[in-house]
Amino acid sequence: MTIKRGALLVLEGCDRAGKSTQVQKLVTELTARGISAEVRRFPDRTTEVGKMIDKYLSHAVELPAETVHLLFSSNRWENCTEMKKAILSGTTLIVDRYAGSGAAYTAATTGKDLSWCKEPDRGLPKPDLVALLEVSEDVQASRAGWGSERFERIELQQKISSNLHQLMDESWVTVNGNDDIDKVHAKLLTLALSTIETVKNKPLGELYNSKPL
Ligand code: Z5A
Ligand code: MG
């Protein structure tokens, strides 16, 4: 019997949109339904590259913005082979930030155009679904932990949000992140289940390229 592939599902959004909360809830629910599902998150702060990113984000080191951009992309590439293997062996990955954050944050912090920012991620596995969690500014700023890391300023977040919208293609959908946690979860679960079903016999695509992997 041929093993059906898993789906690559990504949650994107500005800071404190609720991504990490929802990624965890989705994997728990999919697992409870007997669907093989695992969390991945970017930045993955456990790798050597990830440790450098962590130091940068927490203001322990200063680095040029271009260097940081390539580190974030490199952090995805170092996980790429393992992620593809998991997906092709039937596991659905629920990913907490991915290339969308990469392009949207650097374009907002440096003023570089989005096409420059997208380029290092070209050829990574293409998400089957990107759910963009949208939150209003007042809700965002009221959530726990706001303001401690480098990019957590309202005017910057507005640019990031605008960039995320410009990155949307047919694989992206918006979800209202202002709703309560269970309502957001219900919406994401419906999207996840239908995407898993739709893509199980389809090839995994390449990000920013039209040909499948
Ligand atoms: N970055 C980048 O520049 N380039 C890249 O390529 C990548 C990332 C991948 C760290 O990311 C930074 O890296 C980030 C982007 C940049 N910018 N900054 N600063 P991160 O993912 O490690 O950031 P984080 O600090 O772990 O998470 P976050 O994105 O800021 O938050 P979140 O995951 O979206 O939210 P949460 O942790 O699920 O929820 C926040 C709080 O709100 C928490 O107390 C929840 O219980 C509460 N919450 C969540 N949902 C709700 C609802 N619906 N109602 C009420 N309360 C809620
Ligand atoms: Mg998070």
Side-chain angles (χ1 to χ4, degrees), residues 78-122:
E78 65 183 342
N79 280 285
C80 166
T81 304
E82 184 279 326
M83 285 173 64
K84 271 195 263 183
K85 205 172 153 195
I87 293 165
L88 297 178
S89 67
T91 297
T92 285
L93 299 185
I94 313 289
V95 186
D96 189 351
R97 294 192 188 275
Y98 193 57
S101 283
Y105 278 74
T106 301
T109 53
T110 65
K112 285 186 183 299
D113 60 44
L114 280 171
S115 61
W116 186 93
C117 296
K118 286 161 75 175
E119 202 52 36
D121 287 320
R122 179 186 296 278

Coordinates of all heavy atoms in Angstrom, one line a residue, residues 78-122:
E78 N 18.6 24.2 7.1 CA 19.2 23.1 7.9 C 18.1 22.1 8.4 O 18.5 21.0 8.7 CB 20.1 23.6 9.0 CG 19.3 24.4 10.1 CD 20.3 24.9 11.2 OE1 21.4 24.5 11.3 OE2 19.8 25.8 11.9
N79 N 16.9 22.5 8.3 CA 15.8 21.6 8.7 C 15.1 20.9 7.5 O 14.2 20.1 7.7 CB 14.8 22.3 9.6 CG 15.2 22.4 11.0 OD1 15.2 21.5 11.8 ND2 15.7 23.6 11.4
C80 N 15.5 21.4 6.3 CA 14.7 21.0 5.1 C 14.6 19.5 4.8 O 13.5 19.0 4.6 CB 15.3 21.8 4.0 SG 14.8 21.3 2.4
T81 N 15.8 18.9 4.9 CA 15.8 17.4 4.5 C 15.0 16.6 5.5 O 14.2 15.8 5.1 CB 17.3 16.9 4.5 OG1 18.0 17.7 3.7 CG2 17.4 15.5 4.1
E82 N 15.1 16.9 6.7 CA 14.4 16.2 7.8 C 12.9 16.4 7.6 O 12.0 15.5 7.8 CB 14.9 16.6 9.1 CG 14.3 15.8 10.3 CD 12.9 16.4 10.7 OE1 12.7 17.6 10.6 OE2 12.1 15.6 11.2
M83 N 12.5 17.7 7.3 CA 11.1 18.0 7.2 C 10.5 17.3 6.0 O 9.4 16.7 6.1 CB 10.9 19.5 7.0 CG 11.1 20.3 8.3 SD 11.0 22.1 8.1 CE 9.4 22.4 7.5
K84 N 11.2 17.3 4.8 CA 10.7 16.6 3.7 C 10.5 15.1 3.9 O 9.5 14.5 3.6 CB 11.7 16.7 2.5 CG 11.4 18.0 1.7 CD 12.2 17.9 0.4 CE 13.5 18.6 0.4 NZ 14.2 18.6 -0.8
K85 N 11.5 14.5 4.7 CA 11.4 13.1 5.0 C 10.1 12.8 5.8 O 9.4 11.8 5.5 CB 12.7 12.7 5.7 CG 13.0 11.3 5.6 CD 14.4 11.0 6.2 CE 14.5 9.6 6.7 NZ 15.6 9.4 7.6
A86 N 9.9 13.6 6.8 CA 8.7 13.4 7.7 C 7.4 13.5 6.9 O 6.5 12.7 7.0 CB 8.8 14.4 8.8
I87 N 7.3 14.5 6.0 CA 6.1 14.8 5.3 C 5.9 13.6 4.3 O 4.8 13.0 4.2 CB 6.2 16.1 4.5 CG1 6.2 17.3 5.4 CG2 5.0 16.2 3.5 CD1 6.6 18.6 4.8
L88 N 6.9 13.2 3.6 CA 6.8 12.1 2.6 C 6.5 10.8 3.2 O 6.0 9.9 2.6 CB 8.0 12.1 1.7 CG 8.2 13.4 0.8 CD1 9.4 13.3 -0.1 CD2 6.9 13.7 0.0
S89 N 6.9 10.6 4.5 CA 6.6 9.4 5.2 C 5.2 9.4 5.9 O 4.8 8.5 6.6 CB 7.7 9.0 6.2 OG 7.7 9.9 7.2
G90 N 4.4 10.5 5.7 CA 3.1 10.5 6.1 C 2.7 11.4 7.3 O 1.6 11.4 7.8
T91 N 3.7 12.1 7.8 CA 3.5 13.0 9.0 C 3.2 14.4 8.5 O 3.9 15.0 7.7 CB 4.7 13.0 9.9 OG1 4.9 11.7 10.4 CG2 4.5 14.0 11.1
T92 N 2.1 15.0 9.1 CA 1.7 16.4 8.8 C 2.5 17.2 9.8 O 2.6 17.0 11.0 CB 0.2 16.5 9.0 OG1 -0.4 16.0 7.9 CG2 -0.2 18.0 9.1
L93 N 3.2 18.3 9.2 CA 3.9 19.2 10.0 C 3.2 20.5 10.2 O 2.7 21.1 9.2 CB 5.3 19.5 9.4 CG 6.2 18.3 9.2 CD1 7.6 18.8 8.7 CD2 6.4 17.5 10.5
I94 N 3.0 20.9 11.4 CA 2.4 22.2 11.7 C 3.5 23.1 12.1 O 4.1 22.9 13.2 CB 1.4 22.1 12.9 CG1 0.4 20.8 12.7 CG2 0.5 23.3 13.1 CD1 -0.6 20.9 11.6
V95 N 3.7 24.1 11.3 CA 4.9 24.9 11.5 C 4.6 26.3 12.0 O 3.8 27.0 11.4 CB 5.7 25.0 10.1 CG1 7.0 25.8 10.3 CG2 5.9 23.6 9.5
D96 N 5.3 26.7 13.0 CA 5.1 28.0 13.7 C 6.1 29.0 13.1 O 7.3 29.0 13.5 CB 5.5 27.7 15.2 CG 5.1 28.9 16.1 OD1 4.8 30.0 15.6 OD2 5.3 28.7 17.4
R97 N 5.6 29.8 12.2 CA 6.4 30.7 11.4 C 7.3 29.9 10.3 O 7.8 28.9 10.6 CB 7.4 31.6 12.2 CG 6.7 32.6 13.1 CD 7.8 33.6 13.6 NE 7.4 34.5 14.6 CZ 6.8 35.6 14.4 NH1 6.5 36.0 13.2 NH2 6.5 36.4 15.4
Y98 N 7.5 30.6 9.2 CA 8.3 30.0 8.1 C 8.8 31.1 7.2 O 9.1 32.2 7.7 CB 7.4 29.0 7.4 CG 8.0 28.0 6.4 CD1 9.0 27.1 6.9 CD2 7.6 27.9 5.1 CE1 9.6 26.1 6.0 CE2 8.2 27.0 4.2 CZ 9.2 26.1 4.7 OH 9.7 25.1 3.9
A99 N 8.9 30.9 5.9 CA 9.5 31.8 5.1 C 8.8 33.2 5.0 O 9.4 34.2 4.7 CB 9.7 31.2 3.7
G100 N 7.5 33.1 5.2 CA 6.7 34.4 5.2 C 7.2 35.4 6.2 O 7.4 36.5 5.9
S101 N 7.5 34.9 7.5 CA 8.1 35.7 8.5 C 9.4 36.2 8.0 O 9.8 37.4 8.3 CB 8.2 35.0 9.8 OG 7.0 34.8 10.5
G102 N 10.2 35.3 7.4 CA 11.6 35.7 7.0 C 11.5 36.9 6.1 O 12.2 37.9 6.3
A103 N 10.7 36.9 5.0 CA 10.6 38.0 4.1 C 10.0 39.2 4.7 O 10.4 40.4 4.6 CB 9.9 37.6 2.8
A104 N 8.9 39.0 5.4 CA 8.1 40.2 5.9 C 8.8 41.0 7.0 O 8.8 42.2 7.0 CB 6.8 39.7 6.5
Y105 N 9.6 40.3 7.9 CA 10.3 41.0 8.9 C 11.5 41.7 8.4 O 11.7 42.9 8.7 CB 10.7 40.0 10.1 CG 9.6 39.8 11.1 CD1 8.5 39.0 10.7 CD2 9.6 40.4 12.3 CE1 7.5 38.7 11.6 CE2 8.6 40.1 13.2 CZ 7.5 39.3 12.9 OH 6.5 39.1 13.8
T106 N 12.3 41.1 7.5 CA 13.5 41.8 7.0 C 13.1 43.0 6.1 O 13.7 44.0 6.2 CB 14.4 40.8 6.2 OG1 14.8 39.8 7.0 CG2 15.6 41.5 5.7
A107 N 12.0 42.8 5.3 CA 11.6 43.9 4.4 C 11.1 45.1 5.3 O 11.4 46.2 5.0 CB 10.5 43.5 3.5
A108 N 10.5 44.8 6.4 CA 10.0 45.8 7.3 C 11.2 46.5 8.1 O 11.2 47.7 8.3 CB 9.0 45.3 8.3
T109 N 12.2 45.7 8.4 CA 13.3 46.3 9.3 C 14.3 47.0 8.4 O 15.0 47.9 8.9 CB 13.9 45.3 10.2 OG1 14.4 44.2 9.3 CG2 13.0 44.7 11.2
T110 N 14.5 46.6 7.1 CA 15.6 47.1 6.3 C 15.1 48.0 5.2 O 15.9 48.8 4.6 CB 16.4 46.0 5.7 OG1 15.5 45.3 4.8 CG2 16.9 45.1 6.7
G111 N 13.8 47.9 4.8 CA 13.3 48.6 3.6 C 13.7 47.9 2.3 O 13.4 48.4 1.2
K112 N 14.3 46.8 2.4 CA 14.6 46.0 1.2 C 13.4 45.5 0.5 O 12.4 45.3 1.2 CB 15.6 44.8 1.5 CG 17.0 45.3 1.8 CD 17.9 44.1 1.9 CE 19.3 44.5 2.3 NZ 20.0 45.3 1.3
D113 N 13.4 45.3 -0.8 CA 12.1 44.9 -1.4 C 11.9 43.4 -1.1 O 12.8 42.6 -0.8 CB 12.0 45.2 -2.9 CG 13.1 44.6 -3.7 OD1 13.4 43.4 -3.5 OD2 13.7 45.3 -4.6
L114 N 10.6 43.0 -1.2 CA 10.2 41.6 -0.9 C 10.9 40.6 -1.8 O 11.2 39.5 -1.3 CB 8.7 41.5 -0.9 CG 7.9 42.0 0.3 CD1 6.4 42.0 0.1 CD2 8.3 41.2 1.6
S115 N 11.1 40.9 -3.0 CA 11.7 39.9 -3.9 C 13.2 39.6 -3.5 O 13.6 38.4 -3.5 CB 11.7 40.3 -5.4 OG 12.4 41.5 -5.6
W116 N 13.9 40.6 -3.0 CA 15.3 40.3 -2.4 C 15.1 39.4 -1.2 O 15.9 38.5 -1.0 CB 15.9 41.7 -2.0 CG 17.4 41.5 -1.6 CD1 18.5 41.6 -2.4 CD2 17.8 41.2 -0.3 NE1 19.6 41.4 -1.6 CE2 19.2 41.1 -0.3 CE3 17.2 40.9 1.0 CZ2 20.0 40.8 0.8 CZ3 18.0 40.6 2.1 CH2 19.4 40.6 2.0
C117 N 14.1 39.7 -0.4 CA 14.0 39.0 0.9 C 13.5 37.6 0.7 O 13.8 36.7 1.5 CB 13.0 39.8 1.8 SG 13.6 41.4 2.3
K118 N 12.8 37.3 -0.4 CA 12.3 36.0 -0.7 C 13.3 35.0 -1.2 O 13.3 33.8 -1.0 CB 11.1 36.0 -1.7 CG 9.8 36.6 -1.1 CD 8.9 37.1 -2.1 CE 8.2 36.0 -2.9 NZ 7.2 36.5 -3.8
E119 N 14.3 35.6 -1.9 CA 15.2 34.8 -2.7 C 15.9 33.7 -2.0 O 16.0 32.5 -2.5 CB 16.2 35.7 -3.4 CG 16.9 35.1 -4.6 CD 15.9 34.6 -5.7 OE1 14.8 35.2 -5.9 OE2 16.2 33.6 -6.3
P120 N 16.5 33.9 -0.8 CA 17.2 32.8 -0.1 C 16.4 31.6 0.2 O 16.9 30.5 0.4 CB 17.8 33.4 1.2 CG 17.7 34.9 1.0 CD 16.6 35.1 0.0
D121 N 15.0 31.8 0.3 CA 14.1 30.7 0.6 C 13.6 29.9 -0.6 O 12.9 29.0 -0.5 CB 13.0 31.2 1.5 CG 13.4 31.5 2.9 OD1 14.2 30.8 3.5 OD2 12.9 32.6 3.4
R122 N 14.0 30.4 -1.8 CA 13.5 29.8 -3.0 C 13.9 28.3 -3.0 O 15.1 28.0 -2.9 CB 14.1 30.5 -4.2 CG 13.6 29.9 -5.6 CD 14.3 30.5 -6.7 NE 14.0 31.9 -6.9 CZ 12.9 32.4 -7.5 NH1 12.0 31.5 -8.0 NH2 12.6 33.6 -7.5

